[in-house]
Amino acid sequence: AAVKTAIAEALSAAEVDGGRVDAAVLALAGTSTDELRPELAGAFGLRSVQLVNDVVGAWAAGTGGRPGIAAISGTGSHVFGVNERRETWKCGGWGHVLGDEGSGYWLGRRALRAALAYRDGSGPPTSVLQAALDEYGLERIELLPDLVYGQPLSKSEIAAFTARVAAQAEAGDAVAVELFEQAARDLARQVGGVVSELGFGEAPFPVAMVGSVFRSGAVLVEPFARAVSALAPRAELRLPHLPSIAGPLVLALLTQGAWQPADEAWLGEALEAVRSSGVA
């Protein structure tokens, strides 16, 4: 229902009907189902509908559709690559129970455990404890389990704590610094897995750093760059030039043979114009 509403609003804002759309690509989180494809095509008269995992859209936005890798660290983590032969491979993306190493949720949960270890005397002193009190409005850290298990805190609420942990790392807290360095190593190992599986020839290739946790800045980017360079010397790290919403658009244009990486600039300007207009 939400996808249908979004498509209807987009077509209405663009003042076109579905029959005029050459290609529709939906990059959806979780497991996509092909059952949606005919339903959406029939509802809007769309001629071509493709459903892909949202990590594919992140790759398209992060690399501009070039052969390369997207390393995603947001609430969860995922690494996805496409080589010159258009072969694909992913590492991670197994969710918070089975994986998500290097993600915001992973960092937030590890930081809370570090705060409790300091309280217990089984871990080193860390300003992360006070940061947890501030984040969740607690008078004392002993109340944290009630909050975690009683409400309980959502994955996104735990992941959001990462911003405060990053501030402590920037201020020099050794525990917070090590958490980000471990996250960087874990993400880099996943990048190494994609490189090992796909190979990228002798030419340099981009590794796009996608997601909110990479916006923490140097505390993650610098150790990640060092770790990736050790595993894949030809990798060229970059922050995405396009917002995430551009990913499905790049994929749709690629299906029509109507996309060149040099088009990043105009697409970015077009999306910014739409955003500034208040339409989306």
Side-chain angles (χ1 to χ4, degrees), residues 84-106:
E84 300 90 337
R85 299 177 297 279
R86 292 296 174 185
E87 298 167 334
T88 66
W89 193 255
K90 79 174 186 73
C91 282
W94 305 120
H96 70 288
V97 174
L98 298 176
D100 272 353
E101 295 88 347
S103 68
Y105 175 79
W106 181 93

Side-chain angles (χ1 to χ4, degrees), residues 214-270:
F214 277 113
R215 293 196 289 274
S216 299
V219 293
L220 179 61
V221 171
E222 289 184 358
F224 179 70
R226 291 193 300 269
V228 169
S229 179
L231 293 169
R234 297 189 305 280
E236 296 181 344
L237 268 65
R238 59 177 281 181
L239 292 170
H241 299 162
L242 294 170
S244 296
I245 191 61
L249 290 169
V250 172
L251 292 169
L253 290 165
L254 279 169
T255 68
Q256 301 299 301
W259 173 257
Q260 297 294 329
D263 294 334
E264 281 183 291
W266 72 256
L267 181 56
E269 291 170 2

Side-chain angles (χ1 to χ4, degrees), residues 24-259:
V25 175
L26 283 71
L28 303 177
T31 302
S32 301
T33 170
D34 278 344
E35 293 175 4
L36 280 175
R37 190 197 309 265
E39 183 177 349
L40 295 173
F44 298 100
L46 299 168
R47 287 179 274 170
S48 170
V49 180
Q50 294 188 37
L51 278 68
V52 299
N53 188 275
D54 62 339
V55 71
V56 185
W59 164 80
T63 67
R66 300 174 178 86
I69 294 172
I72 300 98
S73 179
T75 300
S77 65
H78 209 153
V79 176
F80 178 80
V82 181
N83 65 15
E84 300 90 337
R85 299 177 297 279
R86 292 296 174 185
E87 298 167 334
T88 66
W89 193 255
K90 79 174 186 73
C91 282
W94 305 120
H96 70 288
V97 174
L98 298 176
D100 272 353
E101 295 88 347
S103 68
Y105 175 79
W106 181 93
L107 278 160
R109 185 169 59 88
R110 285 293 189 94
L112 292 175
R113 289 172 59 184
L116 293 174
Y118 173 33
R119 180 268 178 203
D120 286 347
S122 60
T126 175
S127 58
V128 168
L129 190 154
Q130 183 60 49
L133 299 180
D134 296 340
E135 176 74 11
Y136 299 112
L138 300 174
E139 292 183 3
R140 59 187 191 279
I141 200 63
E142 289 81 4
L143 297 174
L144 181 62
D146 292 340
L147 187 64
V148 170
Y149 301 117
Q151 288 192 4
L153 288 179
S154 67
K155 288 192 296 182
S156 60
E157 287 173 319
I158 291 175
F161 181 46
T162 297
R164 288 191 188 264
V165 182
Q168 303 313 306
E170 289 173 354
D173 183 271
V175 170
V177 168
E178 174 53 29
L179 284 171
F180 274 91
E181 290 185 348
Q182 182 62 57
R185 291 191 293 268
D186 288 342
L187 290 167
R189 275 195 291 269
Q190 294 180 55
V191 170
V194 173
V195 172
S196 176
E197 183 68 27
L198 294 179
F200 282 92
E202 297 301 320
F205 59 91
V207 173
M209 298 176 288
V210 181
S212 59
V213 182
F214 277 113
R215 293 196 289 274
S216 299
V219 293
L220 179 61
V221 171
E222 289 184 358
F224 179 70
R226 291 193 300 269
V228 169
S229 179
L231 293 169
R234 297 189 305 280
E236 296 181 344
L237 268 65
R238 59 177 281 181
L239 292 170
H241 299 162
L242 294 170
S244 296
I245 191 61
L249 290 169
V250 172
L251 292 169
L253 290 165
L254 279 169
T255 68
Q256 301 299 301
W259 173 257

